[in-house]
Each structure stands twice: as structure tokens, then as C-alpha cells.
Amino acid sequence: MVAVGAFRARCTRTSSRVGSAGRASLLAAMAGLALACGGQDASGSEDSTSLDGQVAPLELASQSQAVTDDDARRGGGNGGSAPVALALEVDNGEGVPLKVKAGQTFWVNQIDLRASINATVDEGVNGLRQNSDFLAIGWGGVRQADEEFVGLSNPDGTFTRRRFYRDAAWMKATSLFTVEPVDARGILTGPPVLLNIGSEETRRTERDDFFIRRLRAIQWTRDCRSLTDCSGAKAFEEEALVEVRNAYEHAKKQTLTFTSKTKGLRLRWSLRPFAPYYIPVQQVASPSYDYGFAIDIKPLTAPRKDGTYAPGSDVTFQLTLKDGKGKRLHPAGSLPTYNEVAPPGAPGHPAGIQYYQAFFDPTATYYRRKHRERMMMTQLIGPAQDIKPIRSIVDLDAFLDDSQDVQTIATPARDGVYAQFMTFPPANKLFGGAFFPNDGRWDAPVSDTWTYHLPADAKPGTYLVTAKGRRVFLGEDLPASRTIEIQVGTKTHTEARLTTGPCNSCHSKGGELGTVLHANDNRAACASCHAPLGFELEGPIFVRTHFIHSRSNRFDAPLEKCSSCHLDKETTQRTSKAACLSCHKSYPDSHVKSFGPIESMYVGGGRESFQQCTGSCHKTHPGSGL
């Protein structure tokens, strides 16, 4: 979703899998790796891809603990000893300070690096290679890969354009991280951890330690005259990003234990080995909560005697957020206000509850920090046998409607399925607070209950109710989701018919759907939250799935082979701009003449992108395997 200014504007207008001895050799070599692919490599050529350099030995311990325990990641209590997923962040060379539980053991599950500069001329991202924290890591080969405008205007009526860059040498080179626990003098307090982040666009190998790894650069132009014209612009930001997360099972066996002497972490990147980052660490002896994150949903409205709910009735639900040992993170009946949690400078919730952050840290599907968006929300969809993608657009007016906290996303008559959702805080407070900052909406109380209305024409079957959120607590950054079922109009259980799969061919060993992003492995419980929004048309799952897999270069099969995911031919025959151009980056001149030029990298065009093109064309897809 987009930044707060846009909303307010609308209102005003190399490592192989080896044992500990082998890792010790790699740790020693880390300090001597030359800067990769340019800047100061052996050849002196910025386009070189060599990793030459003299090895400067390090006296590093070689033995790391081999501990495997999924309880903390999945919401189980750690008892003070089981390893916990650790998230690290560096911004413009400065490590973001960590607070952790004293004496805790961790595995590194997430690393975010960011370098940025401001510019007054349109130079792409060339300023980053000359004057930034990433200046000497090898920028040869960098190219613009995609472009997208933010749909809503800025406060002054201008618009923001984003250009996404790939293929710089530093993005394509295999690189490594070491994480070293150190005392106040920089002396190791325990064995370091060596992590192989592989190459950004190379298919997973046994050497990779993270399921998600994304290295790219972005140019932001913040004063464009319109959604098509940035001539005369003078407000540019250039940033380079490294995002790695979701450690594989084998990587979790490398653990860090924080002793009483540990005061920081030294983070070394093989592309700049002689300029390590330092992340200050503060240890908390007796935190009030445990690690882990779980969500419970309970219907407060009793069903009829037969255990079903009648069409036309209202059903109230209650959300409970808990730590890994089952302790409540909030008092029954209420959640923290938005201002207590999210804005820069906010105190933050003591138990780590998170709300939507993209007003202040903008996200972009695939390209920028979707894991940091941290939206908390709930959805209802059903009946299960009719679940399908939702193509009706939800306009911003619905988000700002003070008369309703819940948005109706799909209706049986229009969409063939019924769906509602609600954000926490409700959208009229969450987004309304961005539009109307002086109304106190971000200070409004937030309830942990909400009510869904079942329409009078609700088709009998099983309906799914889901809640998802994210918790950031003492170094751990975890998503969680929960889905329950209710029976509407019948006791007979019905099932969703999923027309794609199997996702676990790739999503495994640390990259399971139950682990990544929302930690939701029930794909039937996605469509209601993921509807196209008037200000973010790329919402639907089919758009995001096509876009991510077509851009990642890590998908095993040829992209034209639809049968890799689609289970039957009919599911490839609903043609629209959104369906086709979320994957394809171009189409024939005849299509441009008939349907207009490609204007969006996500859905091809505007609101028309979800309309069926025709029932007579595209009955087959070349190379589809169907």
C-alpha cells in the first residue's frame, strides 16, 4: 500500500553445505574477500565479477551449536532455551539497536540492509555507486527492470514514480554474511554464524541459507506532474536494498547465544568485508512476555441448536493475541491505539503488537519490504465450495465510511461468493487518520471484537473466518494467522476447490506457506483480504503470484508452462489485462491499438484490467502443458 502523504493528498485534493571445520575456513576467508564486481576488484574494472583478494585470517571459533526447534517460530514457548528467530536491520550503515531476552539463543531469520541518498537530478541510481553506504560493492550491469506510479497524489498534488533496478554485479554475485556476538571492546563472546545468501536470482541450491533473498535498487521521483509526466522533477531518492528472510532448516542449526558480556553484533558482508556493521544489543533480564506468536478467534454469537448460523444473521467474533506460552498480549476487550504502536516516535506496544506501517515505510509487491507492512486484519469468505478470486474493486470511499467498520468485498449475485474484511484499527480510523490527521482517529480506542453480517441470500456451506497479524518483540519478527470455520445454513461441511498447486514443490524446508509472509497455509482463506483496491489494484493473489514468480528468476519451470501451477485448462482461459500482464511484460501492437498501452507493471492498465477480455480469444496458452 502507499505512503501517508498520498492519502492526505487525496483529502486535500559460495559457501557449500559443510561441517563446522569447513565453515571455520570460510569464516577466516571472509575478512579477505575483495569487493565484488567493481569499484576495488583486482582488475580495477567496475564490470568485473571477480572475487579476488588477499586472505586476512581471523581467529574465529569454528564450532556452532546444532539445535533444531520450531516451537518458537510457530508460537510455542521457548522455556528460555529453545532458539528464537532473530531479525537484524542496518540503515545507511547504522545498525538498528536490538533489545533481546538476556541469555537467549537465536538463529538469524531476517536481515534488512538499506542505503539511500537524495538527489535533485534524474540520474537513475547512479548516485548510490558514487556516494552511499553501497558505493564500492560493484554496480556494473545495473538496469531498470520495472516502473510503477503510486496511484494517489502527494499532499501538494504531485505524484510519485518508482523505478526498480536489477542486475548490478553486487546483486548477481554470490555473497555471505557473518554475524559475530561481541563485547564492549569488540571481542567475540561466542561462535560467529556464517550465512550464505546466494545470488538474488539464482535458483535455490543446497548452499543457500534463506528462502527469500531480494537485492535491488529503487529510484523514487516524488514531484511528478501527473501519473505519466515527471518532466521537471527535482525531488529524487535513490535506495539500495538487501532483504533476506525465512531461514532454511539447516541454517537454523547455526545459533547465537547472548552471554552476559554480549553488547553488540558485528555483521560482516563479503562484498564489503573490511567495513563491518555494528548492531548494539541491550539484554532484558526478565521480560514480561515470552517469545512466539499465536492468534485465537472465538465466535461470541452462539449458533442455532443445530450448530449453524442462519443467513441474514450477524455474528460477532473476538480476537486474542498471545505469546508462545499462551499469555495474552492485550487485555480482553481492547487492543492498543494506532498512535501507541505505529507512527515514528511512538512508544511501541510493550508486547510487540504491530499495525500497518506502510504510511511511513512504503512497500511494493515483490520489490520492497512487504514483510514490514504489518497489516493486522480479519476476513470472512464463503461458502467454501464457491471460493474464487475477487475482481470487484474496493474503492477508497468504502475505507473512509464512518458508518461501517467492516467492508463488504464480494456478494453472491455479483461475484459468486460472499466476502467481508476489517482492518485493525478499522479502516475508517486507520486510513481516515492519514486523511484527517487532526480528527484524533489514530487515538481512537480499538476493540478486539467485530461483527460480520451474513446476507439473506447466503448460500449454505462452510465459511472461513481468518485473522492475521505480526509481532515484533525483543529481536523476533513473526507473522501469524488463524482460520476457523462456521457453518451457515447447513450442517454439511463443504470444501474449497483449489485450481492451482502444489505450492510445496518449492515452498518447503523453511519456505512453507505456513511460514512466509502471513504464515497462512490455507490458500482458500486469502481471496477476501486480497481483493483489488482502488488505490492498490495489484491486491489479488493471482496478480501477485504471477508477478512474483515471473520476476524472481527462481521458478523451476518455464513461465509459459501453466501446468506447473494450474490444475486444469479452464483456469487459464479467463483473460484480462490483470491475468495476462501480471506475468507478461508486453503484448502485440494489435493489442496496444485495441486495448491501450501497458500502464501498470502489475495489472497492465487501470480499473478495466479486471474485465474479461473476450470469450473467443486465448483458449490455449502456447507451451502451457494443458
Side-chain angles (χ1 to χ4, degrees), residues 110-147:
Q110 182 175 305
I111 300 175
D112 285 303
L113 305 183
R114 175 179 176 272
S116 68
I117 65 166
N118 294 318
T120 57
V121 295
D122 186 353
E123 58 184 6
V125 292
N126 284 335
L128 291 168
R129 68 200 300 172
Q130 300 166 4
N131 182 29
S132 79
D133 186 54
F134 283 19
L135 66 90
I137 60 175
W139 283 89
V142 67
R143 66 175 181 88
Q144 181 183 326
D146 275 308
E147 175 180 302

Coordinates of all heavy atoms in Angstrom, one line a residue, residues 110-147:
Q110 N 16.3 -13.1 9.5 CA 15.9 -12.0 8.7 C 17.1 -11.0 8.8 O 17.5 -10.6 9.9 CB 14.6 -11.4 9.2 CG 14.1 -10.2 8.4 CD 12.7 -9.8 9.0 OE1 11.8 -10.6 9.0 NE2 12.6 -8.5 9.3
I111 N 17.5 -10.4 7.6 CA 18.4 -9.3 7.6 C 17.9 -8.3 6.6 O 17.6 -8.7 5.4 CB 19.9 -9.8 7.2 CG1 20.4 -10.9 8.2 CG2 20.8 -8.7 7.1 CD1 21.7 -11.5 7.7
D112 N 17.8 -7.1 7.0 CA 17.5 -6.0 6.1 C 18.6 -4.9 6.1 O 18.9 -4.4 7.1 CB 16.2 -5.3 6.6 CG 14.9 -6.2 6.3 OD1 14.7 -6.5 5.1 OD2 14.2 -6.5 7.2
L113 N 19.1 -4.7 4.9 CA 20.1 -3.6 4.7 C 19.5 -2.6 3.8 O 18.9 -2.9 2.8 CB 21.4 -4.1 4.1 CG 22.2 -5.3 4.8 CD1 23.5 -5.6 4.1 CD2 22.4 -5.0 6.3
R114 N 19.8 -1.3 4.1 CA 19.3 -0.3 3.2 C 20.3 0.9 3.2 O 20.9 1.3 4.2 CB 18.0 0.3 3.8 CG 17.4 1.5 3.0 CD 16.1 2.0 3.6 NE 15.6 3.2 2.9 CZ 15.9 4.4 3.3 NH1 16.7 4.6 4.4 NH2 15.4 5.5 2.6
A115 N 20.6 1.4 1.9 CA 21.4 2.6 1.7 C 20.6 3.5 0.9 O 20.0 3.1 -0.1 CB 22.7 2.2 1.0
S116 N 20.7 4.8 1.2 CA 19.9 5.8 0.4 C 20.6 7.1 0.3 O 21.4 7.5 1.2 CB 18.5 5.9 1.0 OG 18.6 6.6 2.3
I117 N 20.2 7.8 -0.7 CA 20.7 9.2 -0.9 C 19.5 10.0 -1.5 O 18.6 9.4 -2.2 CB 21.9 9.4 -1.8 CG1 21.6 8.9 -3.2 CG2 23.1 8.6 -1.2 CD1 22.7 9.3 -4.2
N118 N 19.6 11.3 -1.4 CA 18.6 12.2 -2.1 C 19.4 12.9 -3.2 O 20.6 13.2 -3.1 CB 18.1 13.3 -1.1 CG 17.2 12.6 0.0 OD1 16.4 11.8 -0.3 ND2 17.3 13.1 1.2
A119 N 18.6 13.2 -4.3 CA 19.2 13.9 -5.4 C 18.2 14.9 -6.0 O 17.0 14.8 -5.8 CB 19.6 12.8 -6.5
T120 N 18.8 15.8 -6.8 CA 17.9 16.8 -7.4 C 17.9 16.7 -8.9 O 17.2 17.5 -9.6 CB 18.4 18.3 -7.1 OG1 19.8 18.4 -7.5 CG2 18.3 18.5 -5.6
V121 N 18.6 15.7 -9.4 CA 18.6 15.4 -10.9 C 18.3 13.9 -11.1 O 18.5 13.1 -10.2 CB 20.0 15.7 -11.5 CG1 20.3 17.2 -11.4 CG2 21.1 14.9 -10.8
D122 N 17.7 13.7 -12.3 CA 17.3 12.3 -12.6 C 18.5 11.5 -13.1 O 18.9 11.6 -14.3 CB 16.2 12.3 -13.7 CG 15.7 10.9 -13.9 OD1 16.2 10.0 -13.4 OD2 14.7 10.8 -14.7
E123 N 19.2 10.8 -12.2 CA 20.4 10.0 -12.6 C 20.2 8.5 -12.3 O 21.1 7.8 -12.2 CB 21.6 10.5 -11.7 CG 21.3 10.4 -10.2 CD 22.4 10.9 -9.4 OE1 23.4 11.5 -9.9 OE2 22.4 10.8 -8.1
G124 N 18.9 8.1 -12.3 CA 18.6 6.7 -12.0 C 19.1 6.4 -10.6 O 18.6 7.0 -9.7
V125 N 20.0 5.4 -10.5 CA 20.5 5.1 -9.2 C 22.0 5.3 -9.2 O 22.7 4.7 -8.4 CB 20.1 3.7 -8.7 CG1 18.6 3.6 -8.5 CG2 20.5 2.6 -9.8
N126 N 22.5 6.1 -10.1 CA 24.0 6.3 -10.2 C 24.6 6.9 -9.0 O 25.8 6.8 -8.7 CB 24.3 7.1 -11.4 CG 24.2 6.3 -12.7 OD1 24.4 5.1 -12.7 ND2 24.0 6.9 -13.8
G127 N 23.8 7.7 -8.3 CA 24.3 8.4 -7.1 C 24.7 7.4 -6.0 O 25.6 7.6 -5.2
L128 N 24.1 6.2 -6.0 CA 24.4 5.2 -5.0 C 25.8 4.6 -5.2 O 26.5 4.2 -4.3 CB 23.3 4.1 -5.0 CG 21.9 4.4 -4.5 CD1 20.9 3.3 -4.9 CD2 21.9 4.7 -3.0
R129 N 26.2 4.5 -6.5 CA 27.5 4.0 -6.8 C 28.6 5.0 -6.5 O 29.8 4.6 -6.6 CB 27.5 3.5 -8.2 CG 27.5 4.5 -9.3 CD 27.0 4.0 -10.6 NE 27.9 2.9 -11.1 CZ 27.6 2.2 -12.2 NH1 26.5 2.4 -12.9 NH2 28.5 1.3 -12.6
Q130 N 28.3 6.2 -6.3 CA 29.3 7.3 -6.1 C 29.3 7.8 -4.6 O 30.4 8.3 -4.2 CB 29.0 8.4 -7.0 CG 29.0 8.1 -8.5 CD 28.4 9.1 -9.4 OE1 28.1 10.2 -8.9 NE2 28.3 8.8 -10.7
N131 N 28.2 7.7 -3.9 CA 28.1 8.4 -2.6 C 27.1 7.8 -1.7 O 26.0 8.4 -1.5 CB 27.9 9.9 -2.8 CG 27.8 10.6 -1.5 OD1 28.5 10.3 -0.5 ND2 27.1 11.7 -1.4
S132 N 27.3 6.5 -1.3 CA 26.4 5.9 -0.4 C 27.1 4.8 0.4 O 28.3 4.5 0.1 CB 25.2 5.3 -1.2 OG 25.6 4.1 -1.8
D133 N 26.4 4.2 1.3 CA 27.0 3.1 2.0 C 27.3 1.9 1.1 O 28.1 1.0 1.4 CB 26.0 2.6 3.1 CG 26.6 1.6 4.0 OD1 27.7 1.8 4.6 OD2 25.9 0.5 4.2
F134 N 26.7 1.8 -0.1 CA 26.9 0.7 -1.0 C 27.8 1.2 -2.2 O 27.7 0.6 -3.3 CB 25.6 0.2 -1.6 CG 24.8 -0.6 -0.7 CD1 25.0 -0.7 0.7 CD2 23.8 -1.4 -1.2 CE1 24.3 -1.5 1.5 CE2 23.0 -2.2 -0.3 CZ 23.3 -2.3 1.0
L135 N 28.6 2.2 -2.0 CA 29.3 2.8 -3.2 C 30.3 1.9 -3.9 O 30.5 2.0 -5.1 CB 29.9 4.1 -2.8 CG 31.1 4.1 -1.8 CD1 32.4 4.0 -2.5 CD2 31.1 5.4 -1.0
A136 N 30.9 1.0 -3.2 CA 32.1 0.3 -3.7 C 31.8 -1.2 -3.8 O 32.7 -2.0 -3.6 CB 33.3 0.6 -2.9
I137 N 30.6 -1.6 -4.0 CA 30.3 -3.1 -4.0 C 30.0 -3.7 -5.4 O 29.8 -4.9 -5.5 CB 29.1 -3.4 -3.1 CG1 27.8 -2.7 -3.6 CG2 29.4 -3.0 -1.6 CD1 26.6 -3.0 -2.8
G138 N 30.1 -2.8 -6.4 CA 30.0 -3.3 -7.8 C 28.7 -3.1 -8.4 O 27.7 -3.8 -8.3
W139 N 28.6 -2.0 -9.2 CA 27.3 -1.6 -9.8 C 27.3 -1.8 -11.3 O 26.2 -1.5 -11.9 CB 27.1 -0.1 -9.5 CG 26.6 0.2 -8.1 CD1 27.4 0.4 -7.0 CD2 25.3 0.2 -7.7 NE1 26.7 0.6 -5.9 CE2 25.3 0.5 -6.3 CE3 24.1 0.0 -8.3 CZ2 24.2 0.6 -5.5 CZ3 22.9 0.1 -7.5 CH2 23.0 0.4 -6.1
G140 N 28.3 -2.4 -11.9 CA 28.3 -2.7 -13.3 C 27.1 -3.6 -13.7 O 26.8 -4.6 -13.0
G141 N 26.4 -3.3 -14.8 CA 25.3 -4.1 -15.3 C 24.0 -3.7 -14.8 O 23.0 -4.2 -15.2
V142 N 23.9 -2.7 -13.9 CA 22.6 -2.3 -13.3 C 21.7 -1.8 -14.4 O 22.1 -1.1 -15.4 CB 22.8 -1.3 -12.2 CG1 23.3 0.1 -12.8 CG2 21.5 -1.1 -11.4
R143 N 20.4 -2.2 -14.4 CA 19.4 -1.8 -15.4 C 18.1 -1.6 -14.8 O 17.8 -2.2 -13.7 CB 19.3 -2.8 -16.5 CG 18.7 -4.1 -16.0 CD 18.5 -5.2 -17.1 NE 17.9 -6.4 -16.6 CZ 16.6 -6.6 -16.5 NH1 15.8 -5.6 -16.8 NH2 16.1 -7.7 -16.0
Q144 N 17.3 -0.7 -15.4 CA 15.9 -0.6 -14.9 C 15.1 -1.7 -15.4 O 15.0 -2.1 -16.6 CB 15.3 0.7 -15.5 CG 13.9 1.0 -15.0 CD 13.3 2.2 -15.6 OE1 14.0 3.2 -15.8 NE2 12.0 2.2 -15.9
A145 N 14.3 -2.4 -14.5 CA 13.6 -3.6 -14.8 C 12.1 -3.3 -14.9 O 11.3 -3.9 -15.7 CB 13.8 -4.7 -13.8
D146 N 11.6 -2.4 -14.1 CA 10.1 -2.1 -14.0 C 9.9 -0.7 -13.5 O 10.8 0.0 -13.0 CB 9.5 -3.1 -13.0 CG 9.1 -4.4 -13.6 OD1 8.4 -4.4 -14.6 OD2 9.4 -5.4 -13.0
E147 N 8.7 -0.2 -13.7 CA 8.3 1.1 -13.3 C 6.8 1.1 -12.9 O 6.0 0.5 -13.6 CB 8.5 2.1 -14.4 CG 8.1 3.6 -14.2 CD 8.3 4.5 -15.3 OE1 9.5 4.6 -15.7 OE2 7.4 5.1 -15.8

